Amino acid sequence: MLEKIIALIKEISAFSVNNSEELELFRLKYLSKKGLISELFEDFKNVPVSDKKEIGQNLNLLKQNALEKYNILKSNLSNSEETDSGFDFTRPSHLYSLGTRHPISIVRNELIDIFTRIGFVVSEGPEIEDDDHVFTKLNFAPEHPARDMQDTFYISRLSTEDSSPEDILLRTHTSSVQVRVMQGQKPPIRTISPGRVFRNEAISARAHCIFHQVEGLYIDENVSFADLRQTLLFFAREMFGKDTEIRLRPSYFPFTEPSAEMDVSCKICGGKGCNVCKHTGWLEILGCGMVHPNVLEACNIDSKKYTGFAFGMGIERAAMLKYGVNDLRLYFENDIRFLDQFKTTL
Ligand code: PHE
């Protein structure tokens, strides 16, 4: 019997199980009421008294080993069942990719930031507009050729020959928002209107049928061209750097008189001349001028008492100059490789 007990102790210590069914078989074989160990305890009754001490000790040891083994096998099994859930908790995780703001939004926010610092407030208006707000109130005569300057997408048109103030169209500039502000507020008015505009132009590296503008308007008593120039110089230096110079060239817009186009010194070559500025040292950035008295009167503002200046620029163009991007279409293609390069807090 002693040999049998020692053989079982060895057998039990070498025992291993792969699943709970095998563990149950272990329990049945050794530890159940009809198991081998109970059987040995039965037989123990017949052991001669002289052997009882030695055999009894070994038998107890066997039972204790079997119980311990059972508990160890059971806890190993439940641990390994946990990790068999299909997850490897030690693997490094995927990097969480945070998106970036679109360069047009970055530059728009920057423009808003610059102008709100000097007292301008942001105003917005509808993208689908009527002719009255986009053209007529801005001093475009019905048959004025200037309407052709901005190839318009019409939604509904009363006549195919002539324009009418009731025609519905996609706004070609956000000056329409400023008309709405002038109609609804009394001077002093200091506002900028960022937004999307639409023109029926062939898509190329320099033009798109949808683009974004920020236009500005300041109306008060005694507003002069010098105020316009100083405001724009402040903007140019905040946007493109402290050494930036500006120059104003005479131009024409129906809604401003006098009108000008503004250039900024090319920051790529520092004004010496390069491919980007076509060797002129200057880059065209915006249109501006003193608000035409006809516009003020059309919006019920007394043009004898008040004067004002206005300016407008394309955000795509400003962003191209700021970032040295040479193809405007990149802003619309949503190529992650392009967009990922613009990281900012604005
Ligand atoms: N509205 C003009 C445009 O879209 C820009 C502009 C605004 C020019 C205000 C002068 C004054 O081209």
Side-chain angles (χ1 to χ4, degrees):
M1 190 168 173
L2 189 59
E3 276 150 27
K4 207 172 169 185
I5 292 172
I6 288 167
L8 279 178
I9 289 177
K10 275 192 191 147
E11 191 180 302
I12 283 172
S13 90
F15 208 96
S16 74
V17 298
N18 291 316
N19 50 45
S20 46
E21 283 90 56
E22 287 177 22
L23 179 69
E24 181 59 6
L25 289 178
F26 175 93
R27 194 186 66 81
L28 290 172
K29 182 172 178 186
Y30 301 106
L31 294 166
S32 67
K33 279 197 177 127
K34 289 183 180 144
L36 289 175
I37 294 176
S38 297
E39 227 171 66
L40 285 170
F41 273 98
E42 256 333 285
D43 295 347
F44 183 70
K45 290 172 188 155
N46 308 322
V47 169
V49 181
S50 58
D51 294 341
K52 263 208 157 83
K53 190 175 175 204
E54 195 186 5
I55 290 181
Q57 277 173 349
N58 281 294
L59 192 53
N60 279 333
L61 185 68
L62 170 66
K63 189 175 176 188
Q64 200 184 326
N65 282 3
L67 278 170
E68 270 169 19
K69 182 77 179 187
Y70 178 77
N71 287 335
I72 288 169
L73 290 176
K74 193 174 166 184
S75 84
N76 284 352
L77 205 58
S78 65
N79 284 345
S80 74
E81 264 167 7
E82 258 171 39
T83 51
D84 274 356
S85 60
F87 293 111
D88 177 354
F89 294 103
T90 63
R91 284 188 63 176
S93 64
H94 290 291
L95 281 180
Y96 184 56
S97 163
L98 275 180
T100 54
R101 219 179 268 291
H102 195 282
I104 298 304
S105 300
I106 296 172
V107 173
R108 183 201 54 205
N109 292 351
E110 192 172 346
L111 288 166
I112 292 174
D113 188 58
I114 292 170
F115 284 105
T116 49
R117 283 209 303 271
I118 51 172
F120 284 78
V121 294
V122 174
S123 47
E124 287 182 335
E127 292 178 347
I128 298 174
E129 262 291 9
D130 53 26
D131 173 286
D132 195 39
H133 289 90
V134 176
F135 295 126
T136 304
K137 287 227 162 28
L138 287 163
N139 199 34
F140 288 76
E143 288 167 24
H144 200 295
R147 286 173 192 258
D148 298 336
M149 277 164 69
Q150 306 183 350
D151 304 289
T152 311
F153 285 116
Y154 283 92
I155 291 176
S156 71
R157 223 175 162 183
L158 293 185
S159 146
T160 45
E161 317 261 286
D162 295 324
S163 304
S164 139
E166 284 102 72
D167 287 344
I168 304 297
L169 45 89
L170 295 179
R171 68 181 179 196
T172 55
H173 52 181
T174 58
S175 304
S176 53
V177 180
Q178 306 183 342
V179 171
R180 289 181 179 275
V181 171
M182 286 187 278
Q183 285 176 319
Q185 286 175 33
K186 293 214 170 344
I189 291 171
R190 224 191 258 126
T191 187
I192 50 166
S193 35
R196 215 155 43 147
V197 298
F198 309 84
R199 291 184 195 182
N200 192 0
E201 287 189 51
I203 295 170
S204 71
R206 314 194 98 239
H208 209 287
C209 58
I210 302 176
F211 60 100
H212 300 78
Q213 283 190 325
V214 170
E215 296 216 352
L217 176 72
Y218 176 35
I219 300 174
D220 203 348
E221 291 176 38
N222 302 320
V223 176
S224 71
F225 201 93
D227 297 324
L228 169 62
R229 191 185 186 285
Q230 207 54 32
T231 305
L232 293 179
L233 181 64
F234 169 78
F235 147 72
R237 291 192 169 163
E238 289 295 300
M239 182 84 182
F240 298 108
K242 289 268 166 284
D243 310 324
T244 308
E245 293 297 338
I246 62 168
R247 81 174 175 188
L248 293 162
R249 286 176 289 105
S251 184
Y252 171 76
F253 299 101
F255 35 87
T256 46
E257 183 57 37
S259 303
E261 255 159 293
M262 185 178 102
D263 298 337
V264 289
S265 53
C266 178
K267 70 168 193 172
I268 293 169
C269 62
K272 289 192 197 75
C274 67
N275 279 341
V276 177
C277 61
K278 300 205 203 85
H279 302 281
T280 63
W282 296 97
L283 296 161
E284 187 189 318
I285 170 109
L286 56 78
C288 59
M290 300 306 291
V291 181
H292 198 293
N294 290 354
V295 174
L296 296 174
E297 294 298 334
C299 300
N300 297 325
I301 292 174
D302 183 355
S303 65
K304 302 266 176 329
K305 188 170 179 201
Y306 295 107
T307 50
F309 67 68
F311 60 87
M313 75 188 96
I315 301 182
E316 280 78 1
R317 175 133 191 93
M320 282 168 94
L321 301 185
K322 189 172 170 74
Y323 295 120
V325 173
N326 57 12
D327 192 329
L328 189 138
R329 287 167 293 195
L330 287 164
Y331 292 123
F332 299 91
E333 283 164 1
N334 285 335
D335 186 329
I336 291 282
R337 291 166 301 178
F338 174 69
L339 298 177
D340 256 354
Q341 298 173 56
F342 302 91
K343 305 240 181 273
T344 180
T345 51
L346 267 178

